[in-house]
Amino acid sequence: MSENKAIVVTAVKTLEIQDLEMPKIGPNEVLYEVHSCSLCTVEQRVYSGAKNFGFPLLGGHENAGVVIAVGDDVREYKVGDKVIATLGYCGECEYCKTGKGSSCKNSMKAKKRVNFPGPIIGGGLAKYLAVPSWQLCKIPDNANFDHFALTEPLACCVHSIEKARVEFGDVVVVIGAGIMGMLHVRLAKLKGAYVIVSEVDQARRLKATEMGADVTVDPSTEDAVARIKELTNNKGADVVINAIATPKIWPDAIGMLAPYGRLVAYSSQDSKEPVGVDMDKLHSKEYEIIGTVSPTMESNLRATKLIALGMVDMEALIDSRYESADCTKAFDRASSPNTYRCIIHI
Ligand SMILES: [Zn+2]
Ligand SMILES: [Zn+2]
């Protein structure tokens, strides 16, 4: 077995390939060999200095690979199984036990997957990890690791679309056509919705159309709220999903809602400044505001099924692929604007 190489962020804009100890597995764990790891916004923000969880940091929560050893008490997995490892759901707390694992009380306290001195977010930028078996999802024997590395972002959107309770014939507006907006478009279409995308960038609007958007709107040249009203016989949208971080979008997002409309606060926000909401209008129009952050175990499992069945075009969301030795190129590319996902072969 080869050594356990890991791509570590040691400071802003600084990566090192370090040798970590090979993890020892407990009775309920598997030894997991990572093949593909995708760079999520969190790695990009740590690398660029926009977020600081402390250094050194081992990221990589979007990953796919193979089980290469199993503990004595593992029943569901065997050596050679292809899998993805989800974030560190403890499996013990009230939230994990009620399908609300995105609020797991112990995810950051979860047992370390590898001996590493700093914070670990997922850990898939290391070659080998010890992962509790309940944190895995099986993927098919012929799985494309690069596609399944994107299970977590797809699962975030599965969770979001499920919380929005999208139904046949609903009008859904997706604000922002980055990767998360695109996945929302595809999933809303699978749920039978009519999907309108509001996005300033022309290339992204075209891509949104390829992903199935029925109409795209450019809010930099037209009044997006008026356009949504026009497209819906003055009614508004049943669901509005905000996938951008700019707080100034909220008045428009609320303005697009039909009576009984559901507004999904999907994207994290650049600012913690409160946003004014007309609570009387919320009351009289029976609006709902729904927060959603990261996936649950259940949404991860559903996402693996969607990818396995070829129901979401994951290839369309991959910008570029890199070998570990070119990790700096991968992080630089991932951190540049208007980039979809960059994959590193670990
Ligand atoms: Zn992610
Ligand atoms: Zn938990």
Side-chain angles (χ1 to χ4, degrees):
M1 203 177 288
S2 57
E3 62 226 323
N4 194 9
K5 296 263 187 225
I7 299 166
V8 176
V9 189
T10 53
V12 173
K13 292 270 180 194
T14 313
L15 300 177
E16 260 177 39
I17 296 185
Q18 297 184 350
D19 256 327
L20 305 182
E21 259 172 51
M22 189 59 79
K24 290 179 187 64
I25 56 170
N28 292 301
E29 293 178 326
V30 310
L31 187 60
Y32 172 53
E33 182 183 75
V34 181
H35 283 232
S36 294
C37 186
S38 160
L39 299 178
C40 181
T41 327
V42 66
E43 282 91 27
Q44 296 161 28
R45 287 183 180 155
V46 167
Y47 181 68
S48 68
K51 266 224 185 285
N52 188 347
F53 299 98
F55 296 109
L57 179 132
L58 178 63
H61 63 275
E62 300 180 1
N63 55 72
V66 177
V67 172
I68 57 165
V70 294
D72 287 345
D73 293 340
V74 172
R75 283 146 292 191
E76 180 67 9
Y77 298 90
K78 61 181 188 310
V79 171
D81 279 348
K82 292 188 176 180
V83 293
I84 58 112
T86 63
L87 278 167
Y89 305 107
C90 77
E92 297 172 9
C93 75
E94 177 185 338
Y95 297 107
C96 282
K97 285 178 171 164
T98 52
K100 299 170 188 154
S102 54
S103 281
C104 173
K105 282 161 70 180
N106 304 306
S107 63
M108 290 309 277
K109 284 193 256 165
K111 186 175 159 289
K112 283 195 168 186
R113 291 170 166 181
V114 65
N115 190 3
F116 182 75
I120 300 174
I121 301 176
L125 287 166
K127 183 73 183 161
Y128 298 103
L129 299 169
V131 181
S133 58
W134 65 87
Q135 294 175 3
L136 301 169
C137 292
K138 254 185 222 175
I139 61 177
D141 290 342
N142 65 352
N144 176 319
F145 290 121
D146 296 349
H147 294 176
F148 280 92
L150 299 177
T151 297
E152 192 263 356
L154 178 61
C156 285
C157 302
V158 167
H159 183 56
S160 169
I161 289 285
E162 287 184 339
K163 285 192 78 178
R165 309 190 308 281
V166 174
E167 294 180 20
F168 294 122
D170 273 353
V171 173
V172 174
V173 174
V174 177
I175 300 173
I179 181 169
M180 293 305 186
M182 293 295 183
L183 291 171
H184 275 98
V185 169
R186 182 67 188 131
L187 293 172
K189 289 306 296 177
L190 288 172
K191 286 279 191 180
Y194 181 85
V195 179
I196 303 167
V197 169
S198 174
E199 163 64 52
V200 292
D201 184 82
Q202 191 192 12
R204 287 183 172 211
R205 286 198 304 276
L206 284 173
K207 192 141 179 145
T209 304
E210 284 166 27
M211 289 296 276
D214 295 282
V215 179
T216 62
V217 175
D218 177 1
S220 66
T221 59
E222 51 192 328
D223 179 339
V225 177
R227 185 90 172 97
I228 303 307
K229 289 281 162 79
E230 184 191 310
L231 287 163
T232 55
N233 215 359
N234 215 30
K235 186 178 143 235
D238 302 293
V239 175
V240 174
I241 295 160
N242 179 37
I244 65 172
T246 324
K248 66 175 196 275
I249 198 68
W250 292 109
D252 272 8
I254 295 167
M256 291 171 184
L257 290 170
Y260 281 77
R262 281 97 71 200
L263 174 65
V264 178
Y266 178 78
S267 177
S268 62
Q269 296 294 292
D270 288 340
S271 156
K272 300 223 181 288
E273 276 294 299
V275 174
V277 176
D278 177 349
M279 294 307 283
D280 192 59
K281 193 165 182 195
L282 184 141
H283 154 78
S284 62
K285 299 291 182 191
E286 304 207 23
Y287 295 154
E288 290 177 55
I289 299 180
I290 298 166
T292 164
V293 55
S294 48
T296 61
M297 252 346 278
E298 292 80 357
S299 43
N300 273 288
L301 187 63
R302 285 193 211 288
T304 59
K305 290 183 183 181
L306 288 168
I307 300 171
L309 293 167
M311 295 177 80
V312 182
D313 180 4
M314 305 312 284
E315 188 61 37
L317 302 169
I318 295 176
D319 176 89
S320 44
R321 296 166 162 88
Y322 302 84
E323 299 307 313
S324 295
D326 290 327
C327 55
T328 302
K329 277 188 200 156
F331 272 72
D332 284 337
R333 174 72 193 158
S335 309
S336 57
N338 287 334
T339 311
Y340 290 103
R341 281 293 194 264
C342 296
I343 304 272
I344 302 181
H345 296 144
I346 301 298

